[in-house]
């Protein structure tokens, strides 16, 4: 029996494209997918950090394509360069914190473009150019923010993630006839380098973690494992779903 028959979570023989793969959750997804046997195409704006991701991946046959998905010509170029894909992970995203009265058009446009518009249009272009094979899986990395809860100063980010989950459900319906599944992973707070700037001190982090029933933040690898499930044949009857990975935060 083949590896995929013995282990439905295997990605052996699958081509997976991961956006935002230069750091954090995107890097973890790319690395963990490579461990599961996938050939992974990684993309982001920073070539040096993409090379770092590539150096941490397992096996061979992986590749990187430099692109800024918020720029139309880069999306078009990436679609042209992409091979036939079994999976797409839309992970690229940004955070901009502003209290609502100070939200401005430029900031809102930037957040919505990077977090929502770019991955939506990129996914549509891949489908139209027949780059996603039958039974392919698209996974959006969304958030519990805007979908299950909110935080102060987070209105733009919440709006973009709420929009992602909305379009994901409609995509799942529209693409079902092609056998393409579409789902999202919705993490709570994840331990990444976002805290390295010292904006939030250690004491505040300790207090915040107490709000999680499991008393800690998640790890990038834990988001990757959920993503692998949705990319794999183990989830072949799952589409239009939002998988919450939050250590029980939204139970409160």
């Amino acid at each position: 029996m083949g590896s995929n028959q013995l282990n439905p979570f295997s990605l052996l023989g699958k081509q997976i494209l991961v956006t935002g793969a230069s750091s954090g959750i995107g890097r973890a997804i790319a690395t963990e997918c490579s461990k599961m046997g996938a050939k992974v195409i990684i993309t982001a704006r920073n070539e040096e950090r993409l090379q770092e991701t590539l150096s941490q991946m397992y096996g061979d046959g992986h590749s990187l394509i430099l692109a800024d998905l918020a720029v139309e010509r880069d999306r078009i170029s990436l679609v042209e360069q992409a091979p036939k894909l079994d999976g797409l992970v839309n992970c690229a995203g940004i955070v901009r914190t502003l209290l609502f009265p100070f939200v401005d058009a430029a900031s809102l446009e930037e957040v919505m473009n990077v977090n929502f518009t770019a991955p939506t249009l990129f996914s549509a272009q891949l489908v139209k150019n027949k780059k996603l094979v039958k039974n392919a899986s698209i996974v959006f990395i969304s958030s519990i923010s805007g979908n299950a809860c909110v935080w102060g100063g987070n209105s733009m980010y919440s709006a973009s993630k709420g929009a992602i989950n909305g379009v994901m459900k409609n995509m799942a319906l529209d693409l079902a006839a092609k056998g393409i599944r579409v789902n999202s992973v919705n993490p709570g707070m994840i331990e990444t380098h976002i805290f390295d700037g010292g904006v939030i001190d250690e004491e505040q982090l300790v207090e915040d973690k107490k709000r999680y029933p499991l008393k800690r933040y998640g790890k990038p690898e834990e988001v990757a494992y959920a993503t692998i499930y949705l990319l794999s044949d183990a989830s072949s009857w799952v589409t239009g779903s939002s998988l919450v990975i939050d250590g029980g935060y939204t139970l409160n």
Side-chain angles (χ1 to χ4, degrees):
M1 294 178 71
S3 174
N4 290 38
Q5 291 172 294
L6 292 169
N7 177 11
F9 298 92
S10 171
L11 299 180
L12 192 66
K14 294 185 184 290
Q15 295 256 23
I16 308 292
L17 191 155
V18 181
T19 76
S22 60
S23 63
I25 293 171
R27 174 174 288 178
I29 290 170
T31 303
E32 296 303 321
C33 283
S34 73
K35 290 180 184 178
M36 296 300 289
K39 300 299 183 189
V40 187
I41 304 95
I42 57 174
T43 186
R45 296 178 294 183
N46 187 305
E47 185 172 10
E48 183 180 351
R49 292 194 300 178
L50 274 179
Q51 289 287 358
E52 289 176 12
T53 301
L54 199 61
S55 71
Q56 295 176 20
M57 291 163 65
Y58 290 70
D60 51 24
H62 311 302
S63 59
L64 69 82
I65 304 173
L66 200 63
D68 181 352
L69 292 184
V71 178
E72 185 178 14
R73 65 176 178 273
D74 280 20
R75 288 198 299 270
I76 293 170
S77 176
L78 185 54
V79 170
E80 290 172 349
Q81 294 178 70
K84 295 284 187 180
L85 298 171
D86 300 280
L88 165 67
V89 183
N90 287 306
C91 187
I94 58 171
V95 178
R96 291 287 183 270
T97 303
L98 279 175
L99 290 173
F100 183 74
F102 303 101
V103 168
D104 59 272
S107 298
L108 182 59
E109 183 177 4
E110 181 186 23
V111 171
M112 292 301 292
N113 191 23
V114 173
N115 291 2
F116 172 71
T117 307
T120 300
L121 293 177
F122 179 57
S123 301
Q125 287 169 303
L126 285 171
V127 172
K128 283 190 286 187
N129 284 272
K130 295 180 170 58
K131 288 298 180 86
L132 288 159
V133 303
K134 187 174 177 62
N135 300 323
S137 172
I138 299 173
V139 182
F140 288 94
I141 305 304
S142 184
S143 172
I144 58 173
S145 181
N147 293 294
C149 56
V150 295
W151 288 273
N154 220 31
S155 57
M156 296 186 295
Y157 181 80
S158 291
S160 69
K161 294 303 185 177
I164 280 292
N165 275 14
V167 79
M168 174 274 291
K169 289 180 180 294
N170 283 271
M171 286 170 63
L173 192 61
D174 288 350
L175 299 180
K178 298 179 182 294
I180 297 173
R181 299 181 296 109
V182 192
N183 297 283
S184 70
V185 175
N186 296 253
M189 194 68 79
I190 302 299
E191 296 270 14
T192 66
H193 293 297
I194 195 170
F195 302 120
D196 290 353
V199 177
I200 304 173
D201 64 36
E202 189 62 35
E203 190 175 330
Q204 288 174 307
L205 290 177
V206 170
E207 279 303 308
D208 191 56
K209 288 175 184 177
K210 292 177 182 177
R211 301 164 67 188
Y212 287 74
L214 293 182
K215 304 306 179 190
R216 66 174 178 87
Y217 293 153
K219 301 172 185 176
E221 292 76 18
E222 291 170 319
V223 181
Y225 302 150
T227 305
I228 286 168
Y229 164 66
L230 292 172
L231 290 169
S232 74
D233 296 342
S235 62
S236 58
W237 208 48
V238 180
T239 194
S241 292
S242 301
L243 182 53
V244 173
I245 309 286
D246 73 345
Y249 183 90
T250 53
L251 297 175
N252 294 323

